[in-house]
Amino acid sequence: MPSPLADPVKLPCGLVLPNRLSKAAMAELLAKNNQPTDPLVDAYEQWSDGGWGSILTGNVQVDVNHMGSPFDPALHSEYKDSETNSALVAQWKKYADACQKHGTPAIAQICHPGRQSFRVAGHRGMFAQTLAPSAVPIKVGDSYLEKLIGYLAWTEPKEMTTQDVEMVIRQFVDTARLMADAGFSGIELHGAHGYLLDQFLNSKTNLRTDAYGGTPEKRARFVLEIISQARKVVPSTFAIGIKLNSADHTSATFEETMTQIALLAEAGLDFMEISGGSYEDPKMMGYGKANATEPKSSRTAAREAFFLEFSKEVRQRHPELVLMLTGGFRSRAGAEAAIRDNACDLVGIGRPAAIDAKFPRLLLDESVGDDEAQLLLNKAPVPWYTRFLPLHLIGAGAESTYYAAQIQQLGKGIATLAPPW
């Protein structure tokens, strides 16, 4: 019996994804000059031949002055049009063509880090303020060491003026237009993981009382204006999606988040990616392994329960919305369980894609049994010299850095390695 993962998915804009497996966005750290480079292009050419239904790029920053990483590709200045900026379009077209060389649609994830832009990232200077909906500083902890790390990593955020808001909206729209002119099949707005769009949506970081804050509807206006204006300058067949993270919201603000999702759905999104949680443990879907006896922490169980509640509630309220779930997928059994439970239409796969660019071919091969159609991964090793730092500050960074290194190996045609322990 063919796997449901092999089913094509048609987005509202008309774009057809040949199967349900999406290579999720990951940090590549390959744009040394903040432009698409040959190593970046070479890595995506590997994924283009991997049998994916869609390929999502890593972060494309909309403003080179405010970067999430020093090595992300970015928009350096105002984008006029394909004739005025023909050299720029040609540069990005090489990237888009590599992603889609074997027919897989590629979607560029575009973002602005807002207050999360590191001092060393971007061209604004180490002491210049970051931009944010409100002047709410990043707080990583209460200890002296944690406060010191926060001070060294980030500057104080500046509350954006109306002019700042309008400027950043234009930057998102310019980037969307550039991606369309370069030949990408769509964009995904990064509205998760504490980036600027998430900062506007979230009541903890958006304390404004003007047209862009004060109510769930007003906090969504920034994102809605980006979607509306981008739609006017890209082809009707160009996909526009958004990434949200269930872990960025709480049960206390659940209905506020659902109000915002309703507004986003009405704006004409082609898909919504929900990041967070894990379907990899099949027993939450009724496919438990007999030898899976290690209990989960109450915190992990609560997070996964909220993730399930979040995704299923979105599905129930917006059955027409194409949903992608990303986070923890490692096997055919886990991915199929998510589809058959009607929790999503698309399965986003990140870290296994960095280890095996052709992972979909394994999952879709009917001659391979379920017990072999998987790629289980250990935690990334943490460098010895970071052991004196708070674990919560280095764990995610270690994971991102490890898999970025594997992506760099992928681009060089060198064998990749799963974490050893």
Side-chain angles (χ1 to χ4, degrees), residues 358-373:
K358 295 179 172 60
F359 189 48
R361 299 192 185 280
L362 174 67
L363 299 187
L364 298 175
D365 187 343
E366 295 180 36
S367 68
V368 177
D370 284 354
D371 56 339
E372 296 179 1

Side-chain angles (χ1 to χ4, degrees), residues 385-418:
Y385 54 82
T386 63
R387 60 188 175 187
F388 63 90
L389 296 174
L391 183 60
H392 72 279
L393 294 180
I394 61 173
E399 291 282 321
S400 181
T401 301
Y402 182 88
Y403 286 98
Q406 302 314 304
I407 292 171
Q408 291 160 20
Q409 296 285 88
L410 196 66
K412 295 175 184 177
I414 301 174
T416 55
L417 295 172

Side-chain angles (χ1 to χ4, degrees), residues 246-247 276-281 283-284 294-309 327-328 379:
S246 63
S278 172
Y279 261 94
E280 183 49 41
D281 182 358
K283 66 187 175 197
M284 72 169 68
E294 184 178 347
K296 296 179 180 178
S297 70
S298 58
R299 184 177 178 182
T300 298
R303 184 174 63 248
E304 289 185 350
F306 182 66
F307 170 60
L308 287 171
E309 180 185 358
K379 290 290 185 183

Side-chain angles (χ1 to χ4, degrees), residues 23-31 36-52 54-60 72-73 92 94-109 184 353 357-358 407-408 410-412:
K23 177 261 162 194
M26 290 179 286
E28 310 101 349
L29 305 183
L30 282 170
T37 59
D38 288 342
L40 183 67
V41 169
D42 291 343
Y44 277 86
E45 190 167 340
Q46 294 284 329
W47 280 313
S48 74
D49 193 30
W52 299 94
S54 55
I55 292 173
L56 274 69
T57 72
N59 282 338
V60 173
D72 291 335
W92 282 89
K94 184 178 179 182
Y95 184 15
D97 287 350
C99 294
Q100 301 174 132
K101 183 175 181 180
H102 296 276
T104 299
I107 294 170
Q109 179 179 262
F184 280 98
K358 295 179 172 60
I407 292 171
Q408 291 160 20
L410 196 66
K412 295 175 184 177

Side-chain angles (χ1 to χ4, degrees), residues 16-297:
V16 177
L17 311 182
N19 64 58
R20 298 181 184 272
L21 298 172
S22 297
K23 177 261 162 194
M26 290 179 286
E28 310 101 349
L29 305 183
L30 282 170
K32 305 300 182 184
N33 55 0
N34 304 129
Q35 297 171 340
T37 59
D38 288 342
L40 183 67
V41 169
D42 291 343
Y44 277 86
E45 190 167 340
Q46 294 284 329
W47 280 313
S48 74
D49 193 30
W52 299 94
S54 55
I55 292 173
L56 274 69
T57 72
N59 282 338
V60 173
Q61 306 288 348
V62 303
D63 184 355
V64 75
N65 294 310
H66 297 269
M67 305 279 289
S69 150
F71 307 120
D72 291 335
L75 189 68
H76 287 239
S77 59
E78 183 181 1
Y79 176 65
K80 299 287 188 180
D81 54 57
S82 59
E83 291 187 8
T84 306
N85 304 105
S86 58
L88 181 65
V89 173
Q91 186 179 47
W92 282 89
K93 187 177 188 306
K94 184 178 179 182
Y95 184 15
D97 287 350
C99 294
Q100 301 174 132
K101 183 175 181 180
H102 296 276
T104 299
I107 294 170
Q109 179 179 262
I110 66 175
C111 75
H112 190 300
R115 67 178 189 151
Q116 290 188 166
S117 181
F118 292 102
R119 286 182 184 269
V120 297
H123 296 183
R124 72 183 185 279
M126 288 184 64
F127 300 100
Q129 287 182 290
T130 53
L131 295 178
S134 300
V136 180
I138 294 177
K139 183 179 180 181
V140 297
D142 295 320
S143 72
Y144 175 80
L145 179 59
E146 289 167 328
K147 290 178 180 178
L148 177 62
I149 292 170
Y151 172 78
L152 294 175
W154 300 284
T155 57
E156 290 289 315
K158 166 198 171 186
E159 179 171 317
M160 295 167 67
T161 64
T162 301
Q163 290 72 29
D164 291 329
V165 170
E166 293 171 349
M167 175 191 68
V168 175
I169 290 173
R170 287 197 302 272
Q171 290 172 331
F172 270 97
V173 174
D174 279 353
T175 306
R177 195 154 43 94
L178 173 59
M179 296 302 105
D181 289 346
F184 280 98
S185 296
I187 58 165
E188 179 182 54
L189 303 174
H190 196 337
H193 306 159
Y195 284 107
L196 184 62
L197 271 62
D198 185 36
Q199 292 165 32
F200 267 92
L201 293 169
N202 199 318
S203 61
K204 291 182 179 179
T205 47
N206 185 347
L207 311 180
R208 303 173 75 99
T209 57
D210 63 358
Y212 294 95
T215 68
E217 293 84 356
K218 288 182 178 180
R219 294 198 304 272
R221 179 176 174 177
F222 178 67
V223 184
L224 294 172
E225 289 189 0
I226 292 172
I227 296 171
S228 174
Q229 293 187 34
R231 274 281 176 223
K232 297 174 183 177
V233 299
V234 299
S236 60
T237 55
F238 189 77
I240 297 180
I242 191 168
K243 175 193 278 185
L244 299 177
N245 188 357
S246 63
D248 293 341
H249 310 278
T250 66
S251 57
T253 60
F254 189 84
E255 283 304 324
E256 290 189 355
T257 302
M258 290 299 153
T259 295
Q260 293 176 334
I261 287 176
L263 293 170
L264 294 171
E266 291 169 7
L269 284 177
D270 287 292
F271 67 95
M272 178 178 291
E273 178 183 2
I274 298 175
S275 174
S278 172
Y279 261 94
E280 183 49 41
D281 182 358
K283 66 187 175 197
M284 72 169 68
M285 312 302 297
Y287 299 99
K289 297 178 182 178
N291 59 354
T293 58
E294 184 178 347
K296 296 179 180 178
S297 70

